[in-house]
Amino acid sequence: MDNELIGKILDGDKHAYRVLYDKYVDNAIRTATAITRNREFAKDAVQETFIRVYKNLNKYNPEQPFEPWFYRILTNECNRILKKESKITLINNYDQESRLSEESKESLIDLYDSIQSLKDKYRIPLLLKYLKGFKEKEIAEILDMNVNTVKTRLFKGRNMLKKVLQPIEDGVNHHE
């Protein structure tokens, strides 16, 4: 479906671009917010990403999946904004849906905070894998690195998360 939309966009169909935008914008903002830790930076990154996608669509190889190409641009844009900004404000935790129990909200907040505490080289691959569901090979393409490096960073990142989350889980078990 993406290749069909891209063909229409390249032919000058503005509606097709809107469809592509609508398809990716929400997840792009969530991903960019997770990477930048700042909703405003995320919005800027997503806006710039869609501009870059539009300008560079003629360079996209339709034989490759579109989504990793898109997220590579988004990730690069997030990193560019982070480098540009000297001071990064941590975003307040997402407003959790009200139907979640307080305990579930606390667990999600703990997990989110733990992921956000990791260095970017571990945090970004983890977010792409578990938030976006990309495979290691796709993450390697997005981040422009060797797939074995991605696997190593995912492994180390998961281990770091376990160490950070273990005291939290121990605390929960003591309250029962």
Side-chain angles (χ1 to χ4, degrees):
M1 180 181 156
D2 286 340
N3 284 346
E4 198 176 303
L5 281 173
I6 291 164
K8 289 178 180 179
I9 294 165
L10 290 171
D11 289 339
D13 184 339
K14 289 183 180 10
H15 176 72
Y17 182 73
R18 183 64 196 196
V19 171
L20 187 75
Y21 176 87
D22 289 344
K23 179 178 178 183
Y24 283 96
V25 70
D26 290 338
N27 282 329
I29 287 176
R30 277 196 288 281
T31 302
T33 300
I35 292 170
T36 63
R37 302 180 180 125
N38 181 296
R39 185 87 172 160
E40 293 308 310
F41 293 168
K43 288 178 185 175
D44 291 345
V46 170
Q47 181 179 8
E48 193 60 37
T49 297
F50 277 103
I51 291 168
R52 289 181 187 263
V53 164
Y54 186 77
K55 286 181 177 176
N56 294 295
L57 210 49
N58 59 339
K59 296 177 186 171
Y60 164 69
N61 177 359
E63 293 181 20
Q64 299 293 318
F66 176 76
E67 196 172 20
W69 184 78
F70 175 85
Y71 279 97
R72 182 176 186 176
I73 294 170
L74 178 65
T75 303
N76 288 340
E77 202 51 44
C78 289
N79 288 331
R80 186 189 65 75
I81 287 173
L82 288 174
K83 285 177 188 166
K84 187 178 86 172
E85 299 297 329
S86 58
K87 191 171 155 186
I88 299 174
T89 319
L90 286 173
I91 61 166
N92 290 332
N93 293 307
Y94 292 113
D95 291 332
Q96 301 297 332
E97 293 182 27
S98 58
R99 66 178 181 257
L100 292 176
S101 70
E102 279 306 308
E103 200 172 289
S104 295
K105 286 181 185 180
E106 286 177 26
S107 296
L108 284 173
I109 290 168
D110 289 341
L111 177 61
Y112 179 80
D113 288 344
S114 298
I115 291 170
Q116 293 298 21
S117 71
L118 297 176
K119 289 181 180 177
D120 285 352
K121 72 182 198 176
Y122 303 111
R123 185 173 59 86
I124 293 171
L126 283 170
L127 291 170
L128 291 171
K129 173 119 177 112
Y130 297 106
L131 181 72
K132 294 303 306 151
F134 285 114
K135 295 179 175 95
E136 285 88 354
K137 184 177 181 220
E138 293 170 321
I139 296 168
E141 290 172 24
I142 291 167
L143 299 177
D144 195 23
M145 62 177 59
N146 183 296
V147 72
N148 290 327
T149 304
V150 169
K151 288 179 182 179
T152 299
R153 289 184 181 179
L154 287 168
F155 177 78
K156 287 181 179 178
R158 284 190 299 265
N159 284 338
M160 289 176 196
L161 272 181
K162 285 178 192 171
K163 287 178 186 170
V164 172
L165 292 172
Q166 192 60 49
I168 294 168
E169 285 184 15
D170 290 346
V172 169
N173 292 335
H174 291 301
H175 295 302
E176 292 176 356

